[in-house]
Amino acid sequence: MEASQLSNEMTIQSHKGPYKVFFADNPFADLEQEISGHKHFIIDAAVARCFQKELAPLLAHHSTLIVEAEESNKSLERMPDYVAHLIDAKIRRGDTLIAVGGGIIQDITCFLAATMLRGLDWIFYPTTLLAQTDSCIGSKSSINVGSVKNILGTYTPPKKIKIGLEFLKTLGEDEIRSGIGEMIKVHIIDGQRSIEDLARDYDNLLTCRATLSAYILKSLMIKKRFIEEDEFDTGTRNILNYGHTFGHAIEAATAFGIPHGIAVTIGMDMANFLSFRTGLIDEQTFYKLHKVLHTNYSKFASVVIPLDSFLVAIMKDKKNVGQKMALILLDGSGQVAKRLFEKDQFFQETCRVFLQEIILQH
Ligand SMILES: NC(=O)c1ccc[n+]([C@@H]2O[C@H](COP(=O)([O-])OP(=O)(O)OC[C@H]3O[C@@H](n4cnc5c(N)ncnc54)[C@H](O)[C@@H]3O)[C@@H](O)[C@H]2O)c1
Ligand SMILES: [Zn+2]
């Protein structure tokens, strides 16, 4: 990684003005300094348990809501409870919500900030690698209604983001590899040199804090280009959906038994296999990327992904156009672009070969 990239803050432009991402050496001290009568904390229950001592001042605050990070809690049905808590805590215009957690706590807090009192400020301390490296920037909030995932949402950027690597100490390896999946995604999008760097440094990501921190920053810098150009996801930002149409269908077909970023890693491999079979990329490119992608999802390679359920799920993707799937695919020039595909015999056979053979090859 080049030294010029190793600054410890960056600024993101949004429709609500600029906001900053900082790397915090001691996020617990920073959080303690945030405490005031006008701040309301929403904290992931697992994080509250893991960092009971470090977060003690926050946990004793008059307006701290502890939420288990479960999809069912990121729902319209649970919103009344959160709103009632904030009303009890005497929330006022001009107050700020502070999220401490992963993407689930982010989505809940961001949605409440977007809607309560016609808009409140919010601040984010992401505690999962996926949130630190990907979801913390980009303004999106999404919540579920019943079993329909992410159907309600807003574009509401936070006022600031503080990334504390300290939080990652208690995260399991699957969650770390899930975050690395999103890192791989933006590095492939950024081009051959970036993904070759990451493939070379892959093992260090799991063991070296400085390497991890540098790749979080680089990933955010790549994502920044797309969200600043197309914050409302009407054009170029679609590219960030690379691996996601396949990934979401894999999550659905396995009843969410595979962490999101891992399913996306398998999804990118599957998208590349389709690129290879349609002649968009050559065999060598496919297998070079397959190596790093497979390394990241190897623990889940033997999970059964039923082809039928997968094909049903992929046809329901909200980005589909009519009967056609809108897939983000890599081509020979190293570009990632949107292409429309039909669920024809060729597509189904390609998926079958991938799910029954390629996924098991290392
Ligand atoms: N708004 C967006 O832009 C956006 C983008 C991507 C994903 N998402 C949403 O984010 C959610 C997934 O988020 P996620 O992957 O960050 O994880 P998460 O919030 O679902 O958390 C994953 C698990 O890790 C635990 N956890 C969190 N921090 C921890 C820590 N430091 N130590 C130990 N355990 C910890 C949580 O309690 C939970 O059990 C999904 O609901 C997805 O739809 C939102
Ligand atoms: Zn994702």
Side-chain angles (χ1 to χ4, degrees), residues 177-190:
R177 289 192 199 264
S178 181
I180 292 176
E182 300 282 2
M183 272 183 183
I184 294 176
K185 178 192 77 175
V186 287
H187 280 73
I188 293 178
I189 289 172
D190 197 43

Side-chain angles (χ1 to χ4, degrees), residues 151-223:
I151 191 74
L152 290 185
T154 66
Y155 286 95
T156 316
K159 276 284 154 193
K160 84 181 164 202
I161 296 156
K162 284 229 166 172
I163 295 179
L165 297 186
E166 283 297 299
F167 280 116
L168 303 180
K169 278 185 184 160
T170 51
L171 214 56
E173 194 182 314
D174 291 352
E175 291 296 335
I176 295 285
R177 289 192 199 264
S178 181
I180 292 176
E182 300 282 2
M183 272 183 183
I184 294 176
K185 178 192 77 175
V186 287
H187 280 73
I188 293 178
I189 289 172
D190 197 43
Q192 196 178 336
R193 175 151 173 229
S194 292
I195 187 59
E196 280 173 7
D197 286 348
L198 190 152
R200 190 196 57 232
D201 291 337
Y202 185 91
D203 290 342
N204 289 338
L205 279 175
L206 300 168
T207 52
C208 170
R209 219 178 131 106
T211 305
L212 189 64
S213 160
Y215 276 95
I216 292 173
L217 186 62
K218 175 82 189 287
S219 301
L220 293 174
M221 281 166 57
I222 299 168
K223 180 169 176 180

Side-chain angles (χ1 to χ4, degrees), residues 43-334:
I43 306 182
D44 181 316
V47 174
R49 283 191 292 272
C50 292
F51 298 98
Q52 216 170 356
K53 210 171 97 216
E54 294 87 339
L55 295 176
L58 251 67
L59 300 175
H61 182 59
H62 84 282
S63 183
T64 291
L65 180 63
I66 311 276
V67 179
E68 293 286 348
E70 288 163 6
E71 284 292 327
S72 59
N73 285 339
K74 194 191 95 170
S75 64
L76 183 64
E77 293 79 4
R78 291 304 314 275
M79 286 298 143
D81 296 347
Y82 309 144
V83 172
H85 161 87
L86 291 167
I87 292 170
D88 279 352
K90 307 215 170 358
I91 192 149
R92 295 282 179 271
R93 274 204 191 123
D95 285 4
T96 299
L97 305 185
I98 303 188
V100 184
I104 290 189
I105 302 300
Q106 169 186 358
D107 276 342
I108 294 170
T109 309
C110 183
F111 191 79
L112 287 166
T115 48
M116 277 197 84
L117 299 162
R118 295 197 195 88
L120 297 167
D121 286 344
W122 74 287
I123 292 173
F124 189 24
Y125 283 72
T127 65
T128 61
L129 182 58
L130 187 131
Q132 294 189 350
T133 203
D134 176 37
S135 71
C136 68
I137 61 169
S139 311
K140 287 184 182 175
S141 75
S142 312
I143 65 160
N144 311 326
V145 178
S147 60
V148 187
K149 198 170 144 62
N150 290 345
I151 191 74
L152 290 185
T154 66
Y155 286 95
T156 316
K159 276 284 154 193
K160 84 181 164 202
I161 296 156
K162 284 229 166 172
I163 295 179
L165 297 186
E166 283 297 299
F167 280 116
L168 303 180
K169 278 185 184 160
T170 51
L171 214 56
E173 194 182 314
D174 291 352
E175 291 296 335
I176 295 285
R177 289 192 199 264
S178 181
I180 292 176
E182 300 282 2
M183 272 183 183
I184 294 176
K185 178 192 77 175
V186 287
H187 280 73
I188 293 178
I189 289 172
D190 197 43
Q192 196 178 336
R193 175 151 173 229
S194 292
I195 187 59
E196 280 173 7
D197 286 348
L198 190 152
R200 190 196 57 232
D201 291 337
Y202 185 91
D203 290 342
N204 289 338
L205 279 175
L206 300 168
T207 52
C208 170
R209 219 178 131 106
T211 305
L212 189 64
S213 160
Y215 276 95
I216 292 173
L217 186 62
K218 175 82 189 287
S219 301
L220 293 174
M221 281 166 57
I222 299 168
K223 180 169 176 180
K224 168 182 151 83
R225 293 206 306 266
F226 292 91
I227 58 177
E228 285 186 340
E229 189 182 322
D230 177 25
E231 188 178 4
F232 299 114
D233 207 0
T234 58
T236 47
R237 186 174 175 172
N238 290 181
I239 301 294
L240 296 175
N241 210 38
Y242 175 47
H244 278 65
T245 304
F246 291 96
H248 289 146
I250 290 166
E251 287 181 285
T254 55
F256 294 87
I258 300 181
H260 173 74
I262 305 277
V264 169
T265 311
I266 303 174
M268 288 185 278
D269 204 19
M270 212 165 169
N272 294 346
F273 188 58
L274 181 63
S275 285
F276 164 45
R277 298 250 298 192
T278 48
L280 286 169
I281 59 171
D282 60 25
E283 189 171 10
Q284 196 195 358
T285 306
F286 170 72
Y287 278 104
K288 205 159 85 183
L289 292 171
H290 175 71
K291 193 162 184 286
V292 64
L293 292 165
H294 196 282
T295 303
N296 200 49
Y297 70 68
S298 58
K299 187 180 150 190
F300 292 87
S302 52
V303 171
V304 175
I305 304 170
L307 179 64
D308 290 359
S309 326
F310 171 84
L311 291 171
V312 168
I314 203 163
M315 286 314 287
K316 288 190 188 152
D317 193 274
K318 59 187 171 203
K319 296 210 165 57
N320 289 354
V321 183
Q323 281 308 298
K324 292 197 169 156
M325 293 167 286
L327 303 177
I328 310 294
L329 297 181
L330 187 64
D331 70 23
S333 63

